[in-house]
Amino acid sequence: MLGSWRWNVGFGLLGTLLIIIFSMNSNPMSVVLLRSLYAFVSFFVLAFAARAALAAILKPPAMIVNAEERQADNGSQLDLTTPDESEDLNDMLKAQLQGDANHSGKDNALAVQSSQFKPLNPPQFVSADDNQPEHLAKALRHLTGE
């Protein structure tokens, strides 16, 4: 909880003082003292409720340390850890090297994808064997716009 009981007493005394100041002129002293007692109790309880609310609002979030608590809280917090898939990766690499497509369901899908995949094979540019100076000059004139 935030603070101590002294805050409650201070707020109670503040409420008592306000009631005494505002009702002294219009009420007899017994009524003023009775109302100031009610004000003290009311402000004391209100200060307790305000302190409890502030403590709940300003409380830092608790860090989960226990594994059992973590298991109970599944789904309530975002888990940003990635699963260890090194065994699956190793199996896929072995299957690719061995060419075995009937290893598992995942490997079958991978094999279907890999059998459908064909790398792009663009035509290669071939340089002309004709390196005569007249043809080169003609091409240069054509490119420069002369």
Side-chain angles (χ1 to χ4, degrees):
M1 182 116 50
L2 192 64
S4 67
W5 61 271
R6 292 184 187 120
W7 283 101
N8 293 24
V9 172
F11 280 115
L13 289 176
L14 177 70
T16 303
L17 184 65
L18 288 174
I19 292 298
I20 290 173
I21 290 172
F22 290 121
S23 65
M24 181 70 94
N25 294 336
S26 61
N27 293 319
M29 187 55 92
S30 62
V31 173
V32 170
L33 291 177
L34 184 63
R35 288 182 181 171
S36 64
L37 177 66
Y38 293 153
F40 178 80
V41 172
S42 300
F43 274 74
F44 187 87
V45 172
L46 286 174
F48 182 76
R51 282 183 39 223
L54 279 175
I57 291 170
L58 298 177
K59 180 180 176 183
M63 300 298 290
I64 297 175
V65 178
N66 226 350
E68 293 116 15
E69 290 177 9
R70 186 177 303 147
Q71 209 53 314
D73 290 338
N74 272 352
S76 64
Q77 294 181 353
L78 181 62
D79 187 11
L80 295 177
T81 58
T82 57
D84 185 25
E85 297 177 344
S86 60
E87 290 294 325
D88 293 336
L89 182 62
N90 287 338
D91 291 342
M92 287 189 328
L93 290 173
K94 286 178 186 176
Q96 185 180 13
L97 286 176
Q98 296 171 357
D100 183 18
N102 297 325
H103 196 51
S104 70
K106 285 183 181 178
D107 291 338
N108 285 338
L110 182 64
V112 168
Q113 282 181 345
S114 64
S115 67
Q116 294 173 353
F117 175 74
K118 294 181 181 169
L120 182 62
N121 195 4
Q124 295 190 358
F125 294 109
V126 181
S127 62
D129 294 335
D130 189 19
N131 290 336
Q132 295 178 2
E134 299 135 8
H135 291 288
L136 292 175
K138 185 177 177 184
L140 184 63
R141 285 188 197 113
H142 176 71
L143 289 175
T144 56
E146 291 182 5

